Amino acid sequence: MSSPDIASILENSRELDRLRKHQEEVLVGINKLHKKLQATPEVVEKPGDSSLSRLKSLYIQAKDLSEREVAISSSLLSQLDTFLPSGPPGQQRRKMDGTDQKKKRMKSDSDVSRISPSMRSHIEACVGLKDEQVAARVTSDAEKDEWFVVKVINFDEKTKEFEVLDEEPGDDEEGGVQRKYKLPASCIIPFPKRIDPSSTQEFPAGRHVLAVYPGTTALYKATVISTPRKRKSDEYLLEFDDDEEDGALPQRTVPFHKVVPLPEGHRQ
């Protein structure tokens, strides 16, 4: 593993820590409002009271932070999958006797009650993606990764797999019939929420990202030329790799909610 790869993993780990601290702050705010409303529920009927709108805003922040945690956790999983070696072929496995099997069952039963708060938050965020559009790596071979916009149908908490639907498959794929896939969390990246641009991470100019190519449902590697904040709009100005026209790379606009972090080790 090279130094840049380690640095990227450590940066994602630090970002997870920052997110969790922010989540704790938001949770404290939610709990304070809950106590206030439980103690004096009539306050919401007073003219000018903003308790409910503030509570809604905090819930939106909490949901966005959870989904951001899913995205970074998925990126970390992809990074670690790239570098962790698989077991050697033909590796011998010790045959479990009755006692071992009993211990394994006991451990599985107790695991449910020992799920950490952060893992529970991660699972809830995954479940919350149902019916949402996400970026998904549906194919991966020795040469390239293919990412598409898909709709989440379900998240299985036991297998930790997403069931997704490719709503707009290419014309050359089984006559354009919609296809379903079962994918691990490492193959899923949630899109930013279009309703709240201010709470979304903005990628700086020069950063490599994964973005939906205009007019398609496919995502490709691109370089940020200008940010929504600088452009005073909701769109990035991007240059897509391998998008050459007349000897130059055209600059294309893409909505901020169709741009996600470039996964580590992406092949195109």
Side-chain angles (χ1 to χ4, degrees):
M1 187 183 297
S2 65
S3 295
D5 296 325
I6 295 175
S8 179
I9 290 175
L10 292 176
E11 176 57 34
N12 276 337
S13 298
R14 286 191 289 269
E15 179 64 15
L16 271 182
D17 288 337
R18 289 192 288 267
L19 278 173
R20 284 165 185 164
K21 288 178 182 177
H22 195 178
Q23 286 173 327
E24 290 173 1
E25 293 171 358
V26 171
L27 185 58
V28 168
I30 290 174
N31 288 337
K32 284 182 178 179
L33 276 174
H34 281 176
K35 290 179 181 179
K36 175 184 175 181
L37 294 174
Q38 288 170 358
T40 55
E42 68 278 3
V43 72
V44 299
E45 299 178 2
K46 294 182 179 180
D49 181 76
S50 60
S51 299
L52 294 181
S53 61
R54 279 162 38 215
L55 186 60
K56 179 181 178 181
S57 177
L58 286 170
Y59 274 123
I60 290 174
Q61 286 186 55
K63 186 172 184 291
D64 289 344
L65 287 169
S66 295
E67 290 172 351
R68 177 66 184 149
E69 183 181 7
V70 172
I72 296 177
S73 298
S74 298
S75 179
L76 273 169
L77 285 170
S78 296
Q79 291 172 320
L80 295 172
D81 285 344
T82 302
F83 298 110
L84 285 176
S86 57
Q91 184 179 18
Q92 292 184 350
R93 299 184 180 182
R94 181 171 59 89
K95 183 179 179 181
M96 291 192 298
D97 58 22
T99 303
D100 289 333
Q101 292 177 351
K102 182 179 180 181
K103 287 180 179 178
K104 185 176 180 181
R105 285 196 299 271
M106 291 172 64
K107 182 178 184 299
S108 298
D109 293 340
S110 62
D111 279 347
V112 176
S113 60
R114 294 207 312 265
I115 294 177
S116 67
S118 60
M119 178 57 71
R120 170 51 56 186
S121 174
H122 173 77
I123 291 174
E124 289 174 352
C126 289
V127 172
L129 290 174
K130 183 177 180 181
D131 296 327
E132 297 279 350
Q133 285 191 330
V134 298
R137 187 180 70 201
V138 296
T139 61
S140 179
D141 55 36
E143 296 182 355
K144 64 179 181 179
D145 300 327
E146 293 186 340
W147 289 79
F148 298 103
V149 178
V150 299
K151 179 180 179 180
V152 176
I153 300 174
N154 186 49
F155 176 73
D156 191 319
E157 295 186 40
K158 292 184 179 179
T159 64
K160 303 297 187 295
E161 285 187 326
F162 285 91
E163 183 178 5
V164 300
L165 176 67
D166 184 357
E167 298 179 287
E168 299 182 28
D171 294 335
D172 57 343
E173 295 183 13
E174 298 183 2
V177 176
Q178 294 181 338
R179 295 185 61 182
K180 291 183 180 179
Y181 301 89
K182 287 191 175 181
L183 303 170
S186 59
C187 291
I188 299 293
I189 303 179
F191 285 118
K193 292 295 182 183
R194 70 172 71 192
I195 60 173
D196 191 11
S198 62
S199 67
T200 301
Q201 175 193 12
E202 186 170 85
F203 303 105
R207 177 70 59 86
H208 294 310
V209 296
L210 200 63
V212 178
Y213 190 85
T216 76
T217 57
L219 291 91
Y220 299 98
K221 180 181 177 183
T223 302
V224 176
I225 302 302
S226 186
T227 66
R229 185 175 293 118
K230 186 174 181 180
R231 289 167 49 81
K232 296 181 180 179
S233 74
D234 291 341
E235 296 179 321
Y236 280 95
L237 190 63
L238 305 176
E239 284 184 354
F240 285 88
D241 287 16
D242 305 322
D243 188 30
E244 187 172 323
E245 288 184 0
D246 300 325
L249 289 177
Q251 297 180 350
R252 305 186 187 277
T253 57
V254 178
F256 79 92
H257 57 270
K258 294 298 183 184
V259 180
V260 296
L262 182 71
E264 186 71 21
H266 175 73
R267 298 164 296 180
Q268 181 167 306

